[in-house]
Amino acid sequence: MVSPQLAWDPGSLTESPNPATAEIDRLSTWELVKRINAEDRRVPEAVAAQAEPIAQAIDAIAQRMRHGGRLIYIGAGTSGRLGVLDAAECPPTFGTSPAQVVALIAGGEKALTQAVEGAEDDAEAAARALEGLHLQAQDSVVGIAASGRTPYVLGGIQAARSIGALTIGLACNHPSPLTEQVDIAIAPLVGPEVILGSTRMKAGTAQKLVLNTISTGVMIRLGKTYGNLMVDLQASNAKLKQRAERIVALACDLDPTTAAQLLQACDGEVKTAILVALLGCSAQEARQHLQQAQGNIRQVLDSVLAQRR
């Protein structure tokens, strides 16, 4: 059993011992699983408590991306890998350019699959990496650090602040150096981990939920969905091609064969196909409407249908 007198940083929830799992090694496997699950159930509540700053972050990022800004994640270890994962999933899901949502991880690509000792302690490395990306004031930088103290992340945030980029901090401690230095602080307080300091667990789950919400919310605000349909997906494989056909069928109330034929006639462009079906226009006219509305299909439909009334 861990002694309650063990020294730790009293300001760090993520590094505190968890009394609920102090003797977890004595439990049966079934009891062990139930105890971990009980701790995991705290995560959604902690994330829900951060709805306001998450919403603020979504609106602020979307506003900047409408004017050419990028969304850039910086993190180390598990936090960095979660940022990389979120960035990598945006192009196939929402049709973004790989340059629009970018992730930097301490230690570089090698750190995706193995620990790079000392990389997170290099406060200058993130600043150099951001300089390599030619960071601009219209960009948004999200620092991800469970402890809120990672030097790599703090160095990146300081560099971003120095040129006027939007800064957002995602940490599971508050107050922390990270949350005190950013424009918008998001701090889901999930409490001590099942295993002391193993922030790939509750903290990592909370970070994943927040990043899912931020990137999805931003893409919705940018018109990358129609209702809950991902109308900007890239049909780069058989599964995604079938999904694109299903999206067109659902959006336009068409049978699968007709939807597939329409999509093919529109060069696989989901938004174009939907507008052709719903507005009765040509593919070229649909593309022109989308260009004028910055790709927002809902805006096109509302505008054109209002003119026809």
Side-chain angles (χ1 to χ4, degrees), residues 125-146:
R128 292 194 298 269
L130 289 171
E131 184 178 355
L133 291 176
H134 305 291
L135 186 70
Q136 303 293 322
Q138 69 265 32
D139 293 330
S140 304
V141 178
V142 180
I144 315 166

Side-chain angles (χ1 to χ4, degrees), residues 231-243:
V231 291
D232 255 342
L233 87 164
Q234 296 179 353
S236 56
N237 58 40
K239 179 188 74 173
L240 292 177
K241 181 180 178 181
Q242 292 176 350
R243 182 177 295 166

Side-chain angles (χ1 to χ4, degrees), residues 22 139 167 255:
D139 293 330
T167 56
D255 63 81

Side-chain angles (χ1 to χ4, degrees), residues 132-209:
L133 291 176
H134 305 291
L135 186 70
Q136 303 293 322
Q138 69 265 32
D139 293 330
S140 304
V141 178
V142 180
I144 315 166
S147 67
R149 301 168 184 271
T150 306
Y152 176 85
V153 175
L154 296 177
I157 289 296
Q158 290 168 5
R161 287 179 61 86
S162 71
I163 67 161
L166 175 71
T167 56
I168 298 165
L170 172 55
C172 293
N173 280 316
H174 186 68
S176 71
L178 176 59
T179 57
E180 291 175 345
Q181 293 180 24
V182 294
D183 298 310
I184 301 173
I186 302 171
L189 302 181
V190 297
E193 294 290 357
V194 169
I195 304 300
L196 192 151
S198 183
T199 52
R200 69 184 181 87
M201 301 185 77
K202 289 192 298 184
T205 302
Q207 290 172 335
K208 174 61 173 165
L209 290 177

Side-chain angles (χ1 to χ4, degrees), residues 96 116 221 307:
T96 59
V116 178
R221 292 279 76 89
Q307 293 174 9

Side-chain angles (χ1 to χ4, degrees), residues 99-143:
Q100 285 181 286
V101 184
V102 182
L104 300 176
I105 182 171
E109 291 187 7
K110 181 180 178 181
L112 294 174
T113 57
Q114 55 187 291
V116 178
E117 298 299 334
E120 71 174 51
D121 295 327
D122 188 346
E124 302 299 324
R128 292 194 298 269
L130 289 171
E131 184 178 355
L133 291 176
H134 305 291
L135 186 70
Q136 303 293 322
Q138 69 265 32
D139 293 330
S140 304
V141 178
V142 180

Side-chain angles (χ1 to χ4, degrees), residues 7-292:
W8 69 87
D9 179 355
S12 176
L13 286 174
T14 55
E15 295 296 330
S16 298
N18 190 333
T21 58
E23 297 192 10
I24 197 169
D25 58 333
R26 294 179 180 270
L27 302 179
S28 70
T29 304
W30 184 88
E31 291 173 324
L32 178 153
V33 170
K34 295 294 287 183
R35 195 67 57 90
I36 293 175
N37 182 250
E39 290 296 310
D40 286 343
R41 287 200 296 272
R42 301 176 184 269
V43 176
E45 294 180 358
V47 172
Q50 296 299 297
E52 182 174 347
I54 293 172
Q56 291 174 351
I58 289 170
D59 285 338
I61 294 167
Q63 181 179 3
R64 287 168 176 257
M65 291 190 77
R66 288 189 191 100
H67 295 91
R70 296 167 293 176
L71 171 57
I72 302 171
Y73 296 129
I74 54 175
T78 296
S79 298
R81 295 182 192 105
L82 289 169
V84 171
L85 176 61
D86 200 74
E89 290 176 342
C90 284
T93 306
F94 299 112
T96 59
S97 161
Q100 285 181 286
V101 184
V102 182
L104 300 176
I105 182 171
E109 291 187 7
K110 181 180 178 181
L112 294 174
T113 57
Q114 55 187 291
V116 178
E117 298 299 334
E120 71 174 51
D121 295 327
D122 188 346
E124 302 299 324
R128 292 194 298 269
L130 289 171
E131 184 178 355
L133 291 176
H134 305 291
L135 186 70
Q136 303 293 322
Q138 69 265 32
D139 293 330
S140 304
V141 178
V142 180
I144 315 166
S147 67
R149 301 168 184 271
T150 306
Y152 176 85
V153 175
L154 296 177
I157 289 296
Q158 290 168 5
R161 287 179 61 86
S162 71
I163 67 161
L166 175 71
T167 56
I168 298 165
L170 172 55
C172 293
N173 280 316
H174 186 68
S176 71
L178 176 59
T179 57
E180 291 175 345
Q181 293 180 24
V182 294
D183 298 310
I184 301 173
I186 302 171
L189 302 181
V190 297
E193 294 290 357
V194 169
I195 304 300
L196 192 151
S198 183
T199 52
R200 69 184 181 87
M201 301 185 77
K202 289 192 298 184
T205 302
Q207 290 172 335
K208 174 61 173 165
L209 290 177
V210 171
L211 294 177
N212 282 350
T213 305
I214 288 176
S215 57
T216 301
V218 167
M219 296 304 156
I220 291 171
R221 292 279 76 89
L222 293 178
K224 297 290 186 178
T225 66
Y226 175 51
N228 63 359
L229 303 176
M230 56 172 74
V231 291
D232 255 342
L233 87 164
Q234 296 179 353
S236 56
N237 58 40
K239 179 188 74 173
L240 292 177
K241 181 180 178 181
Q242 292 176 350
R243 182 177 295 166
E245 293 171 355
R246 178 167 170 75
I247 286 170
V248 173
L250 287 170
C252 306
D253 195 21
L254 299 174
D255 63 81
T257 300
T258 302
Q261 292 171 345
L262 177 59
L263 191 59
Q264 184 175 6
C266 293
D267 299 326
E269 299 167 4
V270 174
K271 285 182 174 178
T272 302
I274 291 173
L275 289 180
V276 167
L278 296 182
L279 297 179
C281 62
S282 69
Q284 183 58 33
E285 289 172 329
R287 294 185 184 107
Q288 291 173 351
H289 285 310
L290 286 167
Q291 185 176 10
Q292 293 170 357

